[in-house]
Amino acid sequence: MRLISFLSLCMGLVSCTKLEYQSFEPPFEDIDNSGQRMVGKFWRTAGHAVVNSNFARLTPDRQSKKGALWSRKPLGVPQYSCIIKFRISGQGKNFFGDGIALWITQQSYYNAGDLHGSQEKFLGVGVIFDTFRNTENINAHRDVTILINDGEKTFEMMTDDIQGCNANFRFHAERADFSVTNAARAKVVIDNEKIVVAIDPVNSGDWTECATVVNPGLPRDWLTKAYVGVTASTGQLADNHDVISLLSFSEYEVLEQEEEKRKTITPFPVAIGEDTETRLHRIEEKINSLVTQFETLSHHVEHELASVDDHISNMVSKLEKREDKAEGRIEDLEAVIKKEVDGTLESRLNRLELQLNGNMNRKVKGMESQLNKQLESSLESSMTSAGSWKLPFLIIVVLLLASAIGLFIFYKKLIKRHIL
């Protein structure tokens, strides 16, 4: 009886100090007014984040994406403890990024920024789970980093004295042993005097203390006005950034009790001390429940496959129509290009002929002018030198004429003699 009373007291303590407004865990069944799934009624979904039944995907494994989950209500407590369960995975083997960030800040709404999807200036605490190792600044890199800001600091100022640790919490989706059960967990404890972060990189239950910051230098009542958010971003490199659950508490002791309690929970607890008939009845009920779930799942899968088939058929039809339009446009474009090319060639040939004719005419006229000048020059020089060659020329002409006359007379005599 005392044991039952003690357990009831512990359960009551957990329910009283668990911060339901700042917690979520699957299955996610709440639907917003637009028909989209939510992690809870007291959380906003922003950016490229998509909530599925068993996890929220902040970013897909695609470049230049940002996504966030942000609580609607402030904490309202002077101490805060939480366990976040997440999975970072992707196809990249050597190049991937950028990571997930947990924010406890006085920012009531999500504002997209370049610091893992959120703003650089904030009042509160950020815990960064960074998978991108910049080789240019490798000495200052930590896989897990605690950022503390009073609202005025830049990233460089926050990382002057970097607080964090290294841990391998990223999963390569192409490995043969990859499973959707792969996940990492982080535990964050915050009060006015210190901030403590521990990491369980493979969800094994073995916690490793990562970093502790004493006297963070924030206003004493800042936590009561703080909101909780989870963000992720991708740049030139990418990964799937999934958040599975976030359990928030106002006291660290209750967090520990809740964690121990969950270790003992099994899907189908063993019945000790019950008779055979009762145990068989429980087994039958469980089997019936499983059969019902399987039938529902089968129906759901069939429905989704039908939708996928319809989407694919519709997409193929649209692609075929676009292909026909594209072929018609290509033919029209070819005709226009051919017309332009033909017209251009013809006009260019005409211009070339005219140009050649003009060039030839100019060259011929130039040559004629040059020849005329040369002839005139030759004649002038001939006229000036005529006195020196006239007499020999006349003598030669007289001799030629005399020879011609002599030959003619000789030719007549031969005829008379009947020789020719």
Side-chain angles (χ1 to χ4, degrees), residues 324-342:
D324 294 338
K325 290 182 179 179
E327 289 181 354
R329 293 178 66 181
I330 290 172
E331 291 177 356
D332 294 340
L333 186 61
E334 288 177 346
V336 171
I337 291 173
K338 186 176 184 301
K339 182 178 179 181
E340 289 292 329
V341 170
D342 292 342

CSV table of all heavy atoms in Angstrom, one decimal, residues 324-342:
chain,number,residue,atom,x,y,z
A,324,ASP,N,4.8,17.8,-76.0
A,324,ASP,CA,4.2,18.1,-77.3
A,324,ASP,C,4.3,19.6,-77.6
A,324,ASP,O,4.6,20.1,-78.7
A,324,ASP,CB,2.7,17.7,-77.3
A,324,ASP,CG,2.5,16.2,-77.3
A,324,ASP,OD1,3.5,15.5,-77.6
A,324,ASP,OD2,1.4,15.7,-76.8
A,325,LYS,N,4.0,20.4,-76.5
A,325,LYS,CA,4.1,21.9,-76.7
A,325,LYS,C,5.6,22.3,-77.0
A,325,LYS,O,5.8,23.1,-77.8
A,325,LYS,CB,3.6,22.6,-75.4
A,325,LYS,CG,2.1,22.5,-75.2
A,325,LYS,CD,1.7,23.3,-73.9
A,325,LYS,CE,0.2,23.2,-73.7
A,325,LYS,NZ,-0.2,23.9,-72.5
A,326,ALA,N,6.5,21.6,-76.3
A,326,ALA,CA,7.9,21.9,-76.5
A,326,ALA,C,8.3,21.5,-77.9
A,326,ALA,O,9.0,22.3,-78.6
A,326,ALA,CB,8.7,21.1,-75.5
A,327,GLU,N,7.8,20.4,-78.4
A,327,GLU,CA,8.2,20.0,-79.8
A,327,GLU,C,7.6,21.1,-80.8
A,327,GLU,O,8.3,21.4,-81.8
A,327,GLU,CB,7.6,18.6,-80.1
A,327,GLU,CG,8.4,17.5,-79.4
A,327,GLU,CD,7.8,16.1,-79.8
A,327,GLU,OE1,6.8,16.1,-80.5
A,327,GLU,OE2,8.4,15.1,-79.3
A,328,GLY,N,6.3,21.5,-80.6
A,328,GLY,CA,5.8,22.5,-81.5
A,328,GLY,C,6.5,23.8,-81.4
A,328,GLY,O,6.8,24.4,-82.4
A,329,ARG,N,6.9,24.2,-80.2
A,329,ARG,CA,7.7,25.4,-80.1
A,329,ARG,C,9.1,25.3,-80.7
A,329,ARG,O,9.6,26.2,-81.3
A,329,ARG,CB,7.8,25.8,-78.6
A,329,ARG,CG,6.5,26.2,-77.9
A,329,ARG,CD,6.7,26.4,-76.4
A,329,ARG,NE,7.5,27.6,-76.2
A,329,ARG,CZ,7.9,28.1,-75.0
A,329,ARG,NH1,7.5,27.4,-74.0
A,329,ARG,NH2,8.6,29.2,-74.9
A,330,ILE,N,9.6,24.1,-80.6
A,330,ILE,CA,10.9,23.9,-81.2
A,330,ILE,C,10.8,24.0,-82.7
A,330,ILE,O,11.7,24.6,-83.4
A,330,ILE,CB,11.5,22.5,-80.8
A,330,ILE,CG1,11.9,22.6,-79.3
A,330,ILE,CG2,12.7,22.1,-81.6
A,330,ILE,CD1,12.3,21.2,-78.7
A,331,GLU,N,9.8,23.4,-83.3
A,331,GLU,CA,9.6,23.5,-84.7
A,331,GLU,C,9.4,24.9,-85.2
A,331,GLU,O,9.9,25.3,-86.2
A,331,GLU,CB,8.4,22.6,-85.1
A,331,GLU,CG,8.6,21.1,-85.0
A,331,GLU,CD,7.4,20.3,-85.3
A,331,GLU,OE1,6.3,20.9,-85.6
A,331,GLU,OE2,7.5,19.0,-85.3
A,332,ASP,N,8.5,25.6,-84.4
A,332,ASP,CA,8.3,27.1,-84.8
A,332,ASP,C,9.7,27.8,-84.7
A,332,ASP,O,10.0,28.7,-85.5
A,332,ASP,CB,7.3,27.7,-83.8
A,332,ASP,CG,5.9,27.1,-84.0
A,332,ASP,OD1,5.7,26.5,-85.1
A,332,ASP,OD2,5.1,27.2,-83.1
A,333,LEU,N,10.4,27.5,-83.6
A,333,LEU,CA,11.7,28.2,-83.5
A,333,LEU,C,12.7,27.9,-84.6
A,333,LEU,O,13.4,28.7,-85.1
A,333,LEU,CB,12.3,27.8,-82.1
A,333,LEU,CG,13.6,28.5,-81.7
A,333,LEU,CD1,13.3,30.0,-81.5
A,333,LEU,CD2,14.1,27.9,-80.3
A,334,GLU,N,12.7,26.6,-85.0
A,334,GLU,CA,13.5,26.2,-86.1
A,334,GLU,C,13.1,26.9,-87.4
A,334,GLU,O,14.0,27.4,-88.2
A,334,GLU,CB,13.4,24.7,-86.3
A,334,GLU,CG,14.1,23.9,-85.3
A,334,GLU,CD,14.0,22.4,-85.5
A,334,GLU,OE1,13.1,22.0,-86.3
A,334,GLU,OE2,14.7,21.6,-84.9
A,335,ALA,N,11.8,27.0,-87.6
A,335,ALA,CA,11.3,27.8,-88.8
A,335,ALA,C,11.8,29.2,-88.8
A,335,ALA,O,12.2,29.8,-89.8
A,335,ALA,CB,9.8,27.6,-88.9
A,336,VAL,N,11.6,29.8,-87.6
A,336,VAL,CA,12.0,31.2,-87.5
A,336,VAL,C,13.5,31.4,-87.7
A,336,VAL,O,13.9,32.3,-88.4
A,336,VAL,CB,11.6,31.8,-86.1
A,336,VAL,CG1,12.2,33.2,-85.9
A,336,VAL,CG2,10.0,31.8,-86.0
A,337,ILE,N,14.2,30.5,-87.1
A,337,ILE,CA,15.7,30.6,-87.2
A,337,ILE,C,16.1,30.4,-88.7
A,337,ILE,O,17.0,31.1,-89.2
A,337,ILE,CB,16.4,29.5,-86.3
A,337,ILE,CG1,16.2,29.9,-84.9
A,337,ILE,CG2,17.9,29.4,-86.6
A,337,ILE,CD1,16.7,28.8,-83.9
A,338,LYS,N,15.5,29.4,-89.4
A,338,LYS,CA,15.8,29.1,-90.8
A,338,LYS,C,15.5,30.3,-91.7
A,338,LYS,O,16.3,30.7,-92.5
A,338,LYS,CB,15.0,27.9,-91.3
A,338,LYS,CG,15.4,27.5,-92.7
A,338,LYS,CD,14.6,26.2,-93.1
A,338,LYS,CE,15.0,25.7,-94.4
A,338,LYS,NZ,14.8,26.7,-95.5
A,339,LYS,N,14.3,30.9,-91.4
A,339,LYS,CA,13.9,32.1,-92.1
A,339,LYS,C,14.9,33.2,-91.9
A,339,LYS,O,15.4,33.9,-92.8
A,339,LYS,CB,12.5,32.5,-91.7
A,339,LYS,CG,12.0,33.7,-92.5
A,339,LYS,CD,10.6,34.1,-92.1
A,339,LYS,CE,10.1,35.3,-92.8
A,339,LYS,NZ,8.7,35.6,-92.4
A,340,GLU,N,15.2,33.4,-90.6
A,340,GLU,CA,16.2,34.5,-90.3
A,340,GLU,C,17.6,34.2,-90.9
A,340,GLU,O,18.2,35.1,-91.5
A,340,GLU,CB,16.3,34.6,-88.8
A,340,GLU,CG,15.1,35.2,-88.1
A,340,GLU,CD,14.9,36.6,-88.5
A,340,GLU,OE1,15.9,37.3,-88.7
A,340,GLU,OE2,13.7,37.1,-88.5
A,341,VAL,N,18.0,32.9,-90.9
A,341,VAL,CA,19.3,32.6,-91.4
A,341,VAL,C,19.3,32.8,-92.9
A,341,VAL,O,20.3,33.3,-93.5
A,341,VAL,CB,19.7,31.1,-91.0
A,341,VAL,CG1,20.9,30.7,-91.8
A,341,VAL,CG2,19.9,31.1,-89.5
A,342,ASP,N,18.2,32.3,-93.6
A,342,ASP,CA,18.2,32.4,-95.1
A,342,ASP,C,18.2,33.9,-95.5
A,342,ASP,O,18.9,34.3,-96.4
A,342,ASP,CB,16.9,31.7,-95.6
A,342,ASP,CG,17.0,30.2,-95.5
A,342,ASP,OD1,18.1,29.7,-95.3
A,342,ASP,OD2,16.0,29.5,-95.5
